[in-house]
């Protein structure tokens, strides 16, 4: 692999000041508001159209001592949510002006309960997210998004106009288009960017204004497309499972000879995959609600076949030879869904390695040993 892409240096500078990154600090210094969202089913464009910066609430990209968070939440709450709460309790998210979540799992709901009870921010909202994608479900969710818009307007004394929503959709769609272009580059035999580096890029994107992120992505895609950089690995891998924003975990896999060419994560593909319909005849709130409910499905959605089919299509498109599933302990949706997905992958001849982890866990020790054994298994299959 040749030298690091120059744009990645900027990405790392942004991430080095997590969670109160330099772009967020600059935004706040202008007297503007910041709201954190905790679920990919929260329509960020609504927040953006109100003149407020949406950022994603995450835990640290390393494993934390969760002593304080454990005093507020049951130990069988997933460590992803407890890691988020730990940073809030340590006052590292004190710059926030609000918090929005979805009813997508019990852990998210309990985090919202704790947030509201202890008044971490005066604005707190949770959207009811259906588990199906029927027309009745779409109507329910449209009303939820409309209510969310109304609450933002009333609380922050702003008007979210259709024009502002359409502009927000344009900005966010551009981000999704650029991420598609970046992931497209990963289909090559020797991509110009590694899976760990893509993880770094996505982390930065949640901590800055989207227009600024789009400019960064444009430079990165151009640099990666026109350079001679080549990242090589012995086997093409997909990562799937629970929320993951730890580049060191992915880097450890790639150092052992794996090449992570795609993911199926809510901190990856499931976050940005679908565009919002920009037809001027469609009400922007309706367009947003349909996109978010119809996006690459979370394991909580029913029936699961829609998601399984999309995962298998990714495997085909990116020529995936093996899947590594990292399941955060007590991540109920992923844990229950994984056996069904594994069965379908193995039926297509794609081996699966399942790793039970804690959020932020590095790729060391037993994790490294099991990944190495999995790659040796893949090598044995090739020799046959």
């Amino acid at each position: 692999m040749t030298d690091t892409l120059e744009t990645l240096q900027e990405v790392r500078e942004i991430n080095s000041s997590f969670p109160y990154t330099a772009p967020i600090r600059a935004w706040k210094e202008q007297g503007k508001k910041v709201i954190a969202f905790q679920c990919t089913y929260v329509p960020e464009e609504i927040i953006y159209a109100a003149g407020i910066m949406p950022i994603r609430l995450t835990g640290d990209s390393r494993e934390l001592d969760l002593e304080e968070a454990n005093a507020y939440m049951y130990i069988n709450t997933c460590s992803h949510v407890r890691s988020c709460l730990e940073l809030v309790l340590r006052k590292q998210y004190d710059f926030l002006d609000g918090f929005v979540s979805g009813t997508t799992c019990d852990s998210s709901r309990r985090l919202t309960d704790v947030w509201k009870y202890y008044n971490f921010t005066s604005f707190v909202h949770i959207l009811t997210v259906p588990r199906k994608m029927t027309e009745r479900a779409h109507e329910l969710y449209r009303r939820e998004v409309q209510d969310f818009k109304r609450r933002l307007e009333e609380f922050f004394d702003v008007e979210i106009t259709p024009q502002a929503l359409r502009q927000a959709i344009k900005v966010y769609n551009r981000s999704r288009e650029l991420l598609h272009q970046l992931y497209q580059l990963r289909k090559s035999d020797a991509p110009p960017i590694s899976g760990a580096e893509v993880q770094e890029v996505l982390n930065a994107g949640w901590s800055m204004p989207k227009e600024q992120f789009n400019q960064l992505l444009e430079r990165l895609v151009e640099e990666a497309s026109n350079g001679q950089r080549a990242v090589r690995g012995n086997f093409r891998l997909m990562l799937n499972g629970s929320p993951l924003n730890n580049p060191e975990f992915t880097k450890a896999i790639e150092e052992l000879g794996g090449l992570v060419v795609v993911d199926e994560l809510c901190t990856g593909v499931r976050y940005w995959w679908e565009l919002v319909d920009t037809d001027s005849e469609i009400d922007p709130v309706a367009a947003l609600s349909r996109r978010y409910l119809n996006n690459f499905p979370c394991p909580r959605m029913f029936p699961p076949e829609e998601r399984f089919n999309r995962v298998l299509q990714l495997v085909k498109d990116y020529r995936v030879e093996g899947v590594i599933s990292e399941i955060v302990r007590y991540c109920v949706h992923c844990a229950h869904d994984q056996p069904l997905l594994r069965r379908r992958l193995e039926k297509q001849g794609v081996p699966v390695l399942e790793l039970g982890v804690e959020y932020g866990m590095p790729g060391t020790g037993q994790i490294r040993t099991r990944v190495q054994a999995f790659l040796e298994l893949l090598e044995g299959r090739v020799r046959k």
Side-chain angles (χ1 to χ4, degrees):
M1 183 172 67
T2 57
D3 294 337
T4 300
L5 298 166
E6 288 185 13
T7 315
L8 286 176
Q9 300 297 347
E10 184 179 343
V11 166
R12 287 166 184 155
E13 287 176 13
I14 294 168
N15 290 336
S16 67
S17 54
F18 169 87
Y20 197 18
T21 63
I24 297 174
R25 191 181 300 274
W27 180 274
K28 291 288 288 188
E29 286 172 354
Q30 299 176 56
K32 298 180 180 180
K33 306 292 186 184
V34 175
I35 288 179
F37 66 94
Q38 206 269 327
C39 176
T40 56
Y41 284 90
V42 173
E44 292 175 70
E45 290 91 334
I46 300 287
I47 303 171
Y48 176 93
I52 301 169
M53 186 201 300
I55 68 165
R56 186 164 188 164
L57 185 82
T58 70
D60 209 320
S61 60
R62 57 191 172 89
E63 193 171 8
L64 297 177
D65 178 351
L66 303 178
E67 183 177 351
E68 288 192 63
N70 290 342
Y72 289 77
M73 306 191 87
Y74 288 118
I75 196 70
N76 62 352
T77 305
C78 77
S79 52
H80 167 239
V81 164
R82 283 184 286 133
S83 182
C84 293
L85 179 59
E86 184 71 25
L87 294 185
V88 172
L89 293 170
R90 293 182 186 183
K91 301 189 181 302
Q92 293 189 35
Y93 276 111
D94 273 8
F95 58 87
L96 292 177
D97 300 286
F99 174 64
V100 186
S101 187
T103 59
T104 43
C105 71
D106 284 344
S107 294
S108 291
R109 292 167 68 98
R110 299 295 77 79
L111 176 62
T112 308
D113 291 341
V114 171
W115 198 294
K116 186 179 295 186
Y117 184 84
Y118 290 97
N119 197 32
F120 295 140
T121 57
S122 51
F123 181 82
V124 186
H125 189 81
I126 186 165
L127 291 97
T128 295
V129 182
R131 293 187 63 236
K132 298 181 180 181
M133 291 175 279
T134 63
E135 284 307 310
R136 289 181 65 189
H138 278 292
E139 178 56 26
L140 185 157
Y141 191 61
R142 186 196 63 77
R143 293 198 300 268
E144 284 291 310
V145 173
Q146 188 69 49
D147 183 58
F148 173 44
K149 171 180 174 289
R150 179 188 57 77
R151 278 214 63 214
L152 277 175
E153 290 176 318
E154 291 176 354
F155 189 92
F156 291 100
D157 192 25
V158 296
E159 181 185 4
I160 302 174
T161 65
Q163 292 76 17
L165 281 175
R166 289 193 173 93
Q167 176 59 26
I169 290 169
K170 180 179 179 181
V171 170
Y172 274 75
N173 271 356
R174 179 56 179 161
S175 183
R176 295 169 184 128
E177 289 167 351
L178 289 164
L179 285 168
H180 269 288
Q181 292 175 29
L182 183 64
Y183 271 61
Q184 190 73 14
L185 295 174
R186 302 171 72 188
K187 291 182 177 180
S188 66
D189 291 339
I193 189 167
S194 72
E197 290 166 341
V198 169
Q199 195 110 53
E200 293 181 80
V201 172
L202 290 166
N203 285 350
W206 297 317
S207 301
M208 60 198 301
K210 267 296 184 284
E211 305 101 317
Q212 188 176 342
F213 182 51
N214 289 351
Q215 293 168 7
L216 184 152
L217 277 177
E218 286 171 355
R219 295 197 304 274
L220 177 63
V221 169
E222 182 177 3
E223 185 183 3
S225 300
N226 298 327
Q228 300 300 314
R229 194 170 191 257
V231 181
R232 302 185 186 279
N234 297 328
F235 299 100
R236 300 176 65 83
L237 303 176
M238 170 192 281
L239 278 179
N240 87 304
S242 303
L244 176 70
N245 68 312
N246 180 5
E248 292 303 315
F249 181 90
T250 308
K251 184 178 179 181
I253 295 171
E254 296 183 314
E255 286 175 344
L256 291 169
L259 178 60
V260 177
V261 294
V262 72
D263 64 80
E264 189 268 316
L265 299 165
C266 74
T267 46
V269 160
R270 293 206 311 264
Y271 167 69
W272 56 264
W273 192 260
E274 303 289 345
L275 299 181
V276 180
D277 194 334
T278 56
D279 187 336
S280 60
E281 299 298 317
I282 301 175
D283 171 59
V285 170
L288 281 167
S289 60
R290 186 162 289 272
R291 180 269 173 195
Y292 275 85
L293 197 59
N294 269 8
N295 193 31
F296 203 118
C298 168
R300 73 183 290 275
M301 300 301 282
F302 183 85
E305 279 70 28
E306 173 67 19
R307 174 168 165 267
F308 295 157
N309 290 338
R310 294 202 193 194
V311 173
L312 292 173
Q313 188 62 49
L314 286 178
V315 166
K316 180 180 178 181
D317 292 345
Y318 286 83
R319 295 176 288 129
V320 170
E321 297 169 286
V323 173
I324 296 181
S325 301
E326 51 85 33
I327 311 295
V328 171
R329 196 165 288 114
Y330 305 121
C331 182
V332 176
H333 295 313
C334 289
H336 286 185
D337 170 87
Q338 184 58 32
L340 301 175
L341 176 59
R342 182 185 66 236
R343 192 179 307 154
R344 284 160 175 77
L345 287 166
E346 291 178 344
K347 189 176 180 180
Q348 297 297 317
V350 181
V352 179
L353 171 65
E354 294 171 348
L355 300 173
V357 301
E358 295 292 358
Y359 181 78
M361 182 181 286
T364 57
Q366 187 185 54
I367 299 296
R368 188 178 182 89
T369 301
R370 292 191 63 196
V371 170
Q372 190 164 18
F374 181 65
L375 295 178
E376 289 172 0
L377 179 149
L378 294 178
E379 186 174 359
R381 289 166 57 96
V382 171
R383 287 176 179 171
K384 288 180 182 180

